[in-house]
Amino acid sequence: MKNILAFGASSSRHSINRQFAAFAAQQIPEAMVDLLDLNDYEMPIYSIDREKETGIPELAKEFKQKILDTDGIIISFAEHNGAYSAAFKNIFDWISRIDGNVWAEKPMLLLSTSPGGRGGKTVLDIAVAKFSRMNPKVTGSFSLPSFKKNFSGESGILDIPLREDFNQKLKAFVSAISTPSEV
């Protein structure tokens, strides 16, 4: 059984990105899913001065341990003013101080969605460009536009071409987590 770490990169209590990440993770057969809520990892805003004065927060260490303990990571990015949400960026900043290998070379599926027609594509492009340089195991990315029109909690992705594209990206991710890691 594979362990999947999934989260929406948003602090909204009603995050459609958290819902989308959960949906994606639940499509993986025989997987244990650890669905995180970024609100559980709220920390002071990162600064080098704060790190020198008080060290790395325990919550950052806990988040990093979850990455180390998983077989694969699914993130669905909320787009705030064309970039990451502040909640995600702060966690990312803190965990990057623990270890430069932030994502521990775990297979990653990067997603985004939004109420609008671009589906968070701008932030997804930023994440793909950044994380692909940091982690050779980014297996794919997928943006779901117009969330309320194209997604149902009961049926998943409603638009057939979008569903087929998503399924191909998910298949590549499942293949990556099923392949034994090189030691």
Side-chain angles (χ1 to χ4, degrees), residues 80-101:
H80 290 195
N81 296 313
Y84 306 125
S85 70
F88 172 76
K89 180 66 167 76
N90 193 50
I91 292 169
F92 180 47
D93 288 344
W94 277 114
I95 65 173
S96 73
R97 300 300 293 172
I98 296 169
D99 179 1
N101 186 2

Side-chain angles (χ1 to χ4, degrees), residues 24-55:
Q26 291 162 356
Q27 303 312 299
I28 300 169
E30 299 179 18
M32 281 287 264
V33 177
D34 187 0
L35 181 63
L36 301 184
D37 181 339
L38 295 192
N39 292 301
D40 295 335
Y41 297 91
E42 197 169 300
M43 296 173 269
I45 295 173
Y46 175 80
S47 77
I48 191 72
D49 296 332
R50 182 170 283 124
E51 181 183 354
K52 286 178 182 175
E53 291 168 9
T54 61

Side-chain angles (χ1 to χ4, degrees), residues 88-144:
F88 172 76
K89 180 66 167 76
N90 193 50
I91 292 169
F92 180 47
D93 288 344
W94 277 114
I95 65 173
S96 73
R97 300 300 293 172
I98 296 169
D99 179 1
N101 186 2
V102 177
W103 305 111
E105 295 190 16
K106 302 292 182 163
M108 296 179 80
L109 177 60
L110 305 179
L111 309 171
S112 67
T113 191
S114 76
R118 287 189 32 85
K121 186 84 171 93
T122 301
V123 70
L124 184 60
D125 288 345
I126 292 168
V128 169
K130 177 74 174 171
F131 295 172
S132 293
R133 286 191 308 272
M134 298 174 78
N135 182 0
K137 294 187 179 178
V138 173
T139 65
S141 64
F142 177 82
S143 171
L144 181 66

